[in-house]
Amino acid sequence: MSKRSGSADLPLHGGRVPPWLSDRMTRLGALIAEAIVHHYGRDEFLRRLSHPFWFQSFGSVMGMDWHSSGITTSVIGALKRGLKPLSGELGLHVCGGRGAQSRKTPEELVDIGYRVGIDGTRLAGVSRLVAKVDSAAVQDGFDLYLHGFIVADDGKWVVVQQGMNDERRQARRYHWLSEGLENFLDSPHRAIEGRGQGNIINLADRRADRSRLGQLDILATLGPDGIAREASALAQSAEREAVVADQLVLPHLVMPAHHDVRAGDIVMKRLHGSLAAAADCGPKDYQDLLLVPGVGARTVKALAMVAEVVHGAPCRFSDPARFSLAHGGKDRHPFPVPLKVYDETIRVMKSAISKGKLGREEELAALKRLDIQSRQMEQYVTGPDLKEIIAGEFRDSEHFGGRSVFGWERR
């Protein structure tokens, strides 16, 4: 049976991802997906997408705003663009998106079904039902506006959808995974992200079975008019409050409203482990390790975090903000996106995966060793504090091709 894995606040952010970043997110996102499928298989990639902490870290390492609701839209969009030309090879297909794109999901699934030989009509029904559960059965004050459906050639799927609450300026993300899903109304969510807002009505919880059966019985017995009269009477009674209080309030991870990355947002020993492993491997001998000429020390730091996104265990993603230190953020938080570093990261990942497909695993193995070394070194290394690290990134930003939505960085 699917289990919830936590929740988190996602502050609503406006604006769009600029083309210079969305293009790179598309390429890096597809490369990370390829690496995970290569090492661990397609099912594992679906599991990763269903993990809310990993999903947020995935978006952060790609240079998106580390805590905002925009990560959901941008990650789904990047994967839809990046995995489309690889769908025949990886057997993965991304449908839906935001707004009008979400409403096209059923027809996209039917089309995929015809092409790969799975029951697209059934999957279209699943898409509609999942959306209905999170918009009607779970009444938590968030209106759905994004629906992403990722399906494999064997019919396994993951759904990531998001709702917003304009009044609170917050978003809530819902994760579903087909693996182990037996019933759409008995605690089906893999995870729901959003701050606990007090009591909610969650008719999709297994403990609400008696409530659902009771509602059907009341509808048959009283009819719509009778239900309206009873509801009016119950509104004045303590019984109604007790019924609502019985509904599930999910555990949650709070994503803060502040834009800047602070020490409290990061597990510093993990960050120091990544930096120490990068320093130990390069730049003097990293060329021999990765067999890719021209890789600089700063790129190695980014690669250490990308390697963790590929290889890290679920418990490693409790601090998504840490992964924003790989390639910064489009709004200059924690620092401008270093495009030269970003492009080198893409080049190294592309080289490693291309050679891995030919049976030459040296570079992919080197990235995995980098992640292992990071975890080993974090047990005992120390390093500069976060403010010093970020100050250094701003100082070198022009040299690394720093760019944000505000323009190019200049000294």
Side-chain angles (χ1 to χ4, degrees), residues 2 60 177 269 283 388-389:
S2 300
S60 295
L177 182 66
K269 71 172 186 176
E388 187 177 345
I389 294 170

Side-chain angles (χ1 to χ4, degrees), residues 349-365:
M349 291 293 293
K350 186 175 182 179
S351 172
I353 291 168
S354 296
K355 291 176 181 175
K357 292 176 182 177
L358 300 175
R360 296 163 57 189
E361 301 279 344
E362 300 95 339
E363 294 174 26
L364 281 172

Side-chain angles (χ1 to χ4, degrees), residues 37 50 109 116 130 135 200 203 224 241 277 341 363 368 371 392:
V37 172
S50 74
L109 290 168
V116 305
V130 167
S135 61
I200 67 170
L203 297 177
E241 182 178 347
V341 173
E363 294 174 26
K368 188 171 185 178
D371 174 60

Side-chain angles (χ1 to χ4, degrees), residues 35-299:
I36 293 171
V37 172
H38 179 90
H39 282 285
Y40 304 107
R42 196 168 56 196
D43 290 355
E44 177 60 20
F45 181 63
L46 295 179
R47 293 185 197 108
R48 299 282 185 94
L49 291 174
S50 74
H51 193 294
F53 296 86
W54 184 89
F55 191 97
Q56 200 77 12
S57 301
F58 183 39
S60 295
V61 87
M62 291 195 289
M64 191 52 196
D65 298 328
W66 62 279
H67 68 143
S68 80
S69 60
I71 272 185
T72 313
T73 306
S74 58
V75 168
I76 294 296
L79 289 178
K80 189 170 187 177
R81 296 186 300 271
L83 294 183
K84 185 175 183 178
L86 299 171
S87 60
E89 177 185 343
L90 299 181
L92 288 168
H93 314 268
V94 183
C95 307
R98 181 173 180 168
Q101 291 297 316
S102 69
R103 294 187 287 275
K104 296 178 182 178
T105 306
E107 61 188 79
E108 289 180 287
L109 290 168
V110 170
D111 180 61
I112 290 168
Y114 282 130
R115 287 191 280 113
V116 305
I118 56 177
D119 191 345
T121 302
R122 182 187 68 83
L123 290 171
V126 168
S127 170
R128 295 187 182 98
L129 182 55
V130 167
K132 279 294 184 182
V133 168
D134 283 340
S135 61
V138 179
Q139 298 176 31
D140 54 2
F142 291 80
D143 298 324
L144 292 186
Y145 67 95
L146 181 147
H147 178 82
F149 198 113
I150 300 91
V151 63
D153 279 354
D154 58 5
K156 295 177 181 177
W157 51 265
V158 63
V159 168
V160 179
Q161 53 190 8
Q162 188 158 285
M164 73 165 70
N165 185 310
D166 281 325
E167 184 178 346
R168 295 192 180 103
R169 297 296 299 163
Q170 292 173 352
R172 175 162 290 169
R173 191 166 68 227
Y174 308 83
H175 293 249
W176 293 68
L177 182 66
S178 63
E179 183 179 62
L181 181 62
E182 300 171 7
N183 189 301
F184 282 89
L185 288 175
D186 281 338
S187 301
H189 298 94
R190 181 69 173 183
I192 299 179
E193 290 201 39
R195 180 194 296 268
Q197 307 277 350
N199 294 324
I200 67 170
I201 297 175
N202 183 4
L203 297 177
D205 180 56
R206 63 169 58 91
R207 290 174 291 181
D209 182 57
R210 188 171 63 177
S211 175
R212 294 193 298 264
L213 293 175
Q215 289 174 48
L216 293 175
D217 183 58
I218 290 172
L219 180 60
T221 304
L222 299 179
D225 293 338
I227 290 175
R229 289 193 299 272
E230 291 295 322
S232 177
L234 284 172
Q236 305 301 318
S237 72
E239 181 182 354
R240 179 177 182 274
E241 182 178 347
V243 169
V244 174
D246 247 1
Q247 305 298 329
L248 179 66
V249 178
L250 294 172
H252 62 275
L253 164 71
V254 176
M255 296 302 287
H258 57 259
H259 289 237
D260 55 315
V261 178
R262 302 173 185 176
D265 303 319
I266 290 176
V267 178
M268 289 300 294
K269 71 172 186 176
R270 294 176 184 167
L271 177 60
H272 289 149
S274 296
L275 298 179
D280 190 58
C281 291
K284 61 181 184 304
D285 61 351
Y286 206 74
Q287 179 174 324
D288 295 330
L289 178 62
L290 278 185
L291 309 177
V292 178
V295 174
R298 176 59 181 83
T299 302

